[in-house]
Amino acid sequence: DVGLIADAMGDEPFCRALVAAMGAGRSLRTEAGSMRFNAGKNYREVVGASLDQPAPLRRLTTSSNSISLLGDRLFLKAYRRLQPGINPELEMGRFLTDVVAFAHSVPVAGSIEWLAVDGQAWTLALLQTQVSNQGDAWTSTVDQLSRLLESTGDDLAAADDAIAAMAERMQVLARRVAELHAALARRTGDAAFDPEPTTAADVARWSAAVQTECVQTLQRLGRPHEAWPAALTELAARVLAAAPVLRQRIAEAADGAAPPHLKTRLHGDLHLGQVLICRDDFLLIDFEGEPQRSFEERRAKHSALRDVAGLLRSFDYARHTALHQTAQSAVDQERLAPLARHWEQQVRAAFLQAYGSTAVQGAVYASDADFAAVQPLLHLFELEKALYELRYEIDNRPGWVGVPLAGIAVLAGLSV
């Protein structure tokens, strides 16, 4: 027999039928369960009259999921890697849209779930508003910093005004992240989201996990890497020699009483690439969490400072990426590096100041003193993220090993 295999998500009538089934609340029985089509509270507002006639369909091919854009209103995502349980992106989207009305994430308008006969639910698809945007914050940040390095070179004084403007923009992002954490810290009666106090046992468990990651990562770093340049090999040796300092700093995070801190749900994989620029403001996207973790791990309450640590590490990657794009030689790299470091220091300080102030206003922390008291936890999560990055780069992008390695060196108190 001659036939045709096609992806149904590339078929406009099929995608339109899925969206219509959500609005109708349809249920389809299957051999081993049932398929449920669900509409969110804002379904009518989001969909409007867009199903009344055929609309152009475009595909996004940069995702590991299957994404179809229907007209200029609807964003339909079918998950390709299915796991039992509610997908954190759907659960977070429903909570942020329907419960706390968080304005700086993309609204969720509907979903498709399969309910097995044993009661286990599987998330199949998600419907969201299609948001007009000016790109993501990662691309914008790297481009702006690259232009700054090209135009001012090693003149720090000449760059101060431009850096101040970029730092001010990052303060807006910091406020949005703090507002997200304040929304997730609200008590609504939903046990999956209600905040819990952080205990000394929690911090001890987090510290022990990072200790294990540190040992495993440094073991991998200590293996022979003949292809590495001499400077990188030397930095790796310095970091390995500083292992006792790293372990001591990890242990210090668990010293003393529990910090004045809440465990909440969080984004879980927050970096500049997960932020859209929309009308001089920011939208936070992709609440799936780290894809290599199980749903159970991604749905667990933890410290929201892990989101902050992810963005701070993203600033460091942006600095190195802009340097790589701008410098034409090793001499250029050395000449431009001080300005790039100065940019990161200013942006980092501005971000943390705005985040802390807004988080206190949103009752995430009771006072500025309480936010200051949890800084050892933030350093712990920065190191955790940098250790993960180092393992990833060793295995996948050896040319980028120097970025997280330098970050770990700084956290160990080394000069780089």
Side-chain angles (χ1 to χ4, degrees), residues 81-101:
R81 184 183 179 188
L82 302 180
Q83 296 187 41
I86 184 170
N87 189 301
E89 183 173 32
L90 171 59
E91 187 181 33
M92 289 281 284
R94 283 175 176 166
F95 182 81
L96 294 174
T97 303
D98 295 342
V99 180
V100 296

PDB file of all heavy atoms in Angstrom, residues 81-101:
ATOM      1  N   ARG A  81       7.649  14.413  24.712  1.00  0.00           N
ATOM      2  CA  ARG A  81       8.189  13.500  25.717  1.00  0.00           C
ATOM      3  C   ARG A  81       7.188  13.445  26.865  1.00  0.00           C
ATOM      4  O   ARG A  81       7.152  14.329  27.713  1.00  0.00           O
ATOM      5  CB  ARG A  81       9.550  13.979  26.215  1.00  0.00           C
ATOM      6  CG  ARG A  81      10.209  13.020  27.198  1.00  0.00           C
ATOM      7  CD  ARG A  81      11.528  13.574  27.711  1.00  0.00           C
ATOM      8  NE  ARG A  81      12.129  12.662  28.671  1.00  0.00           N
ATOM      9  CZ  ARG A  81      13.202  12.955  29.392  1.00  0.00           C
ATOM     10  NH1 ARG A  81      13.777  14.134  29.256  1.00  0.00           N
ATOM     11  NH2 ARG A  81      13.701  12.092  30.256  1.00  0.00           N
ATOM     12  N   LEU A  82       6.366  12.427  26.876  1.00  0.00           N
ATOM     13  CA  LEU A  82       5.282  12.344  27.851  1.00  0.00           C
ATOM     14  C   LEU A  82       5.744  11.645  29.122  1.00  0.00           C
ATOM     15  O   LEU A  82       6.519  10.690  29.081  1.00  0.00           O
ATOM     16  CB  LEU A  82       4.096  11.592  27.256  1.00  0.00           C
ATOM     17  CG  LEU A  82       3.502  12.188  25.973  1.00  0.00           C
ATOM     18  CD1 LEU A  82       2.333  11.340  25.495  1.00  0.00           C
ATOM     19  CD2 LEU A  82       3.056  13.626  26.200  1.00  0.00           C
ATOM     20  N   GLN A  83       5.241  12.152  30.240  1.00  0.00           N
ATOM     21  CA  GLN A  83       5.500  11.538  31.533  1.00  0.00           C
ATOM     22  C   GLN A  83       4.183  11.485  32.298  1.00  0.00           C
ATOM     23  O   GLN A  83       3.318  12.344  32.121  1.00  0.00           O
ATOM     24  CB  GLN A  83       6.512  12.356  32.338  1.00  0.00           C
ATOM     25  CG  GLN A  83       7.901  12.440  31.737  1.00  0.00           C
ATOM     26  CD  GLN A  83       8.878  13.127  32.674  1.00  0.00           C
ATOM     27  OE1 GLN A  83       8.859  12.905  33.876  1.00  0.00           O
ATOM     28  NE2 GLN A  83       9.730  13.974  32.119  1.00  0.00           N
ATOM     29  N   PRO A  84       4.024  10.503  33.153  1.00  0.00           N
ATOM     30  CA  PRO A  84       2.805  10.468  33.966  1.00  0.00           C
ATOM     31  C   PRO A  84       2.781  11.617  34.959  1.00  0.00           C
ATOM     32  O   PRO A  84       3.810  12.047  35.460  1.00  0.00           O
ATOM     33  CB  PRO A  84       2.899   9.108  34.681  1.00  0.00           C
ATOM     34  CG  PRO A  84       4.356   8.782  34.695  1.00  0.00           C
ATOM     35  CD  PRO A  84       4.913   9.361  33.433  1.00  0.00           C
ATOM     36  N   GLY A  85       1.582  12.123  35.225  1.00  0.00           N
ATOM     37  CA  GLY A  85       1.431  13.243  36.146  1.00  0.00           C
ATOM     38  C   GLY A  85       1.185  14.535  35.408  1.00  0.00           C
ATOM     39  O   GLY A  85       1.407  14.642  34.197  1.00  0.00           O
ATOM     40  N   ILE A  86       0.737  15.539  36.138  1.00  0.00           N
ATOM     41  CA  ILE A  86       0.469  16.824  35.510  1.00  0.00           C
ATOM     42  C   ILE A  86       1.782  17.500  35.144  1.00  0.00           C
ATOM     43  O   ILE A  86       2.732  17.538  35.931  1.00  0.00           O
ATOM     44  CB  ILE A  86      -0.382  17.719  36.434  1.00  0.00           C
ATOM     45  CG1 ILE A  86      -0.745  19.020  35.722  1.00  0.00           C
ATOM     46  CG2 ILE A  86       0.326  17.998  37.754  1.00  0.00           C
ATOM     47  CD1 ILE A  86      -1.776  19.845  36.466  1.00  0.00           C
ATOM     48  N   ASN A  87       1.851  18.025  33.943  1.00  0.00           N
ATOM     49  CA  ASN A  87       3.047  18.735  33.496  1.00  0.00           C
ATOM     50  C   ASN A  87       3.179  20.029  34.296  1.00  0.00           C
ATOM     51  O   ASN A  87       2.221  20.794  34.404  1.00  0.00           O
ATOM     52  CB  ASN A  87       2.934  19.037  31.999  1.00  0.00           C
ATOM     53  CG  ASN A  87       4.220  19.583  31.421  1.00  0.00           C
ATOM     54  OD1 ASN A  87       4.721  20.601  31.844  1.00  0.00           O
ATOM     55  ND2 ASN A  87       4.741  18.887  30.419  1.00  0.00           N
ATOM     56  N   PRO A  88       4.359  20.320  34.858  1.00  0.00           N
ATOM     57  CA  PRO A  88       4.520  21.541  35.652  1.00  0.00           C
ATOM     58  C   PRO A  88       4.188  22.812  34.873  1.00  0.00           C
ATOM     59  O   PRO A  88       3.701  23.786  35.457  1.00  0.00           O
ATOM     60  CB  PRO A  88       5.996  21.509  36.057  1.00  0.00           C
ATOM     61  CG  PRO A  88       6.376  20.070  35.999  1.00  0.00           C
ATOM     62  CD  PRO A  88       5.572  19.484  34.874  1.00  0.00           C
ATOM     63  N   GLU A  89       4.430  22.821  33.565  1.00  0.00           N
ATOM     64  CA  GLU A  89       4.113  24.009  32.779  1.00  0.00           C
ATOM     65  C   GLU A  89       2.615  24.274  32.779  1.00  0.00           C
ATOM     66  O   GLU A  89       2.172  25.426  32.920  1.00  0.00           O
ATOM     67  CB  GLU A  89       4.617  23.854  31.346  1.00  0.00           C
ATOM     68  CG  GLU A  89       4.370  25.095  30.502  1.00  0.00           C
ATOM     69  CD  GLU A  89       5.012  25.030  29.143  1.00  0.00           C
ATOM     70  OE1 GLU A  89       5.119  23.917  28.579  1.00  0.00           O
ATOM     71  OE2 GLU A  89       5.414  26.089  28.639  1.00  0.00           O
ATOM     72  N   LEU A  90       1.817  23.235  32.651  1.00  0.00           N
ATOM     73  CA  LEU A  90       0.370  23.396  32.694  1.00  0.00           C
ATOM     74  C   LEU A  90      -0.088  23.788  34.102  1.00  0.00           C
ATOM     75  O   LEU A  90      -0.897  24.709  34.267  1.00  0.00           O
ATOM     76  CB  LEU A  90      -0.314  22.096  32.268  1.00  0.00           C
ATOM     77  CG  LEU A  90      -1.828  22.033  32.455  1.00  0.00           C
ATOM     78  CD1 LEU A  90      -2.524  23.144  31.684  1.00  0.00           C
ATOM     79  CD2 LEU A  90      -2.365  20.658  32.046  1.00  0.00           C
ATOM     80  N   GLU A  91       0.426  23.104  35.098  1.00  0.00           N
ATOM     81  CA  GLU A  91       0.017  23.393  36.474  1.00  0.00           C
ATOM     82  C   GLU A  91       0.383  24.813  36.879  1.00  0.00           C
ATOM     83  O   GLU A  91      -0.434  25.547  37.462  1.00  0.00           O
ATOM     84  CB  GLU A  91       0.670  22.378  37.415  1.00  0.00           C
ATOM     85  CG  GLU A  91       0.194  22.477  38.851  1.00  0.00           C
ATOM     86  CD  GLU A  91       0.881  21.467  39.738  1.00  0.00           C
ATOM     87  OE1 GLU A  91       2.066  21.146  39.490  1.00  0.00           O
ATOM     88  OE2 GLU A  91       0.239  21.007  40.694  1.00  0.00           O
ATOM     89  N   MET A  92       1.615  25.221  36.579  1.00  0.00           N
ATOM     90  CA  MET A  92       2.048  26.586  36.896  1.00  0.00           C
ATOM     91  C   MET A  92       1.243  27.597  36.093  1.00  0.00           C
ATOM     92  O   MET A  92       0.840  28.642  36.614  1.00  0.00           O
ATOM     93  CB  MET A  92       3.536  26.739  36.587  1.00  0.00           C
ATOM     94  CG  MET A  92       4.438  25.993  37.544  1.00  0.00           C
ATOM     95  SD  MET A  92       4.678  26.859  39.118  1.00  0.00           S
ATOM     96  CE  MET A  92       5.830  28.130  38.607  1.00  0.00           C
ATOM     97  N   GLY A  93       1.010  27.292  34.813  1.00  0.00           N
ATOM     98  CA  GLY A  93       0.254  28.225  33.980  1.00  0.00           C
ATOM     99  C   GLY A  93      -1.152  28.434  34.487  1.00  0.00           C
ATOM    100  O   GLY A  93      -1.655  29.564  34.516  1.00  0.00           O
ATOM    101  N   ARG A  94      -1.828  27.357  34.880  1.00  0.00           N
ATOM    102  CA  ARG A  94      -3.175  27.494  35.437  1.00  0.00           C
ATOM    103  C   ARG A  94      -3.169  28.337  36.706  1.00  0.00           C
ATOM    104  O   ARG A  94      -4.022  29.208  36.907  1.00  0.00           O
ATOM    105  CB  ARG A  94      -3.728  26.112  35.769  1.00  0.00           C
ATOM    106  CG  ARG A  94      -4.231  25.295  34.585  1.00  0.00           C
ATOM    107  CD  ARG A  94      -4.622  23.912  35.065  1.00  0.00           C
ATOM    108  NE  ARG A  94      -5.190  23.098  34.002  1.00  0.00           N
ATOM    109  CZ  ARG A  94      -5.363  21.786  34.108  1.00  0.00           C
ATOM    110  NH1 ARG A  94      -5.000  21.156  35.217  1.00  0.00           N
ATOM    111  NH2 ARG A  94      -5.898  21.101  33.109  1.00  0.00           N
ATOM    112  N   PHE A  95      -2.189  28.081  37.580  1.00  0.00           N
ATOM    113  CA  PHE A  95      -2.129  28.809  38.842  1.00  0.00           C
ATOM    114  C   PHE A  95      -1.862  30.295  38.600  1.00  0.00           C
ATOM    115  O   PHE A  95      -2.548  31.162  39.157  1.00  0.00           O
ATOM    116  CB  PHE A  95      -1.038  28.208  39.733  1.00  0.00           C
ATOM    117  CG  PHE A  95      -0.930  28.849  41.081  1.00  0.00           C
ATOM    118  CD1 PHE A  95      -1.800  28.499  42.109  1.00  0.00           C
ATOM    119  CD2 PHE A  95       0.038  29.807  41.340  1.00  0.00           C
ATOM    120  CE1 PHE A  95      -1.707  29.090  43.360  1.00  0.00           C
ATOM    121  CE2 PHE A  95       0.140  30.409  42.588  1.00  0.00           C
ATOM    122  CZ  PHE A  95      -0.737  30.046  43.602  1.00  0.00           C
ATOM    123  N   LEU A  96      -0.882  30.592  37.757  1.00  0.00           N
ATOM    124  CA  LEU A  96      -0.523  31.991  37.507  1.00  0.00           C
ATOM    125  C   LEU A  96      -1.623  32.732  36.752  1.00  0.00           C
ATOM    126  O   LEU A  96      -1.843  33.924  36.973  1.00  0.00           O
ATOM    127  CB  LEU A  96       0.793  32.064  36.731  1.00  0.00           C
ATOM    128  CG  LEU A  96       2.039  31.557  37.471  1.00  0.00           C
ATOM    129  CD1 LEU A  96       3.242  31.542  36.543  1.00  0.00           C
ATOM    130  CD2 LEU A  96       2.332  32.409  38.699  1.00  0.00           C
ATOM    131  N   THR A  97      -2.349  32.028  35.875  1.00  0.00           N
ATOM    132  CA  THR A  97      -3.404  32.663  35.077  1.00  0.00           C
ATOM    133  C   THR A  97      -4.711  32.754  35.840  1.00  0.00           C
ATOM    134  O   THR A  97      -5.316  33.830  35.946  1.00  0.00           O
ATOM    135  CB  THR A  97      -3.619  31.882  33.765  1.00  0.00           C
ATOM    136  OG1 THR A  97      -2.389  31.812  33.035  1.00  0.00           O
ATOM    137  CG2 THR A  97      -4.671  32.576  32.899  1.00  0.00           C
ATOM    138  N   ASP A  98      -5.171  31.618  36.381  1.00  0.00           N
ATOM    139  CA  ASP A  98      -6.534  31.534  36.919  1.00  0.00           C
ATOM    140  C   ASP A  98      -6.628  31.838  38.411  1.00  0.00           C
ATOM    141  O   ASP A  98      -7.699  32.220  38.891  1.00  0.00           O
ATOM    142  CB  ASP A  98      -7.110  30.135  36.675  1.00  0.00           C
ATOM    143  CG  ASP A  98      -7.289  29.823  35.198  1.00  0.00           C
ATOM    144  OD1 ASP A  98      -7.289  30.766  34.392  1.00  0.00           O
ATOM    145  OD2 ASP A  98      -7.407  28.626  34.853  1.00  0.00           O
ATOM    146  N   VAL A  99      -5.538  31.668  39.159  1.00  0.00           N
ATOM    147  CA  VAL A  99      -5.616  31.811  40.616  1.00  0.00           C
ATOM    148  C   VAL A  99      -5.048  33.144  41.088  1.00  0.00           C
ATOM    149  O   VAL A  99      -5.722  33.889  41.804  1.00  0.00           O
ATOM    150  CB  VAL A  99      -4.896  30.637  41.319  1.00  0.00           C
ATOM    151  CG1 VAL A  99      -4.979  30.789  42.843  1.00  0.00           C
ATOM    152  CG2 VAL A  99      -5.499  29.305  40.890  1.00  0.00           C
ATOM    153  N   VAL A 100      -3.801  33.450  40.692  1.00  0.00           N
ATOM    154  CA  VAL A 100      -3.171  34.671  41.217  1.00  0.00           C
ATOM    155  C   VAL A 100      -3.084  35.787  40.179  1.00  0.00           C
ATOM    156  O   VAL A 100      -2.642  36.895  40.495  1.00  0.00           O
ATOM    157  CB  VAL A 100      -1.763  34.365  41.771  1.00  0.00           C
ATOM    158  CG1 VAL A 100      -1.865  33.432  42.966  1.00  0.00           C
ATOM    159  CG2 VAL A 100      -0.848  33.774  40.702  1.00  0.00           C
ATOM    160  N   ALA A 101      -3.500  35.515  38.932  1.00  0.00           N
ATOM    161  CA  ALA A 101      -3.533  36.537  37.870  1.00  0.00           C
ATOM    162  C   ALA A 101      -2.200  37.269  37.747  1.00  0.00           C
ATOM    163  O   ALA A 101      -2.145  38.505  37.706  1.00  0.00           O
ATOM    164  CB  ALA A 101      -4.668  37.530  38.130  1.00  0.00           C
TER     165      ALA A 101
END
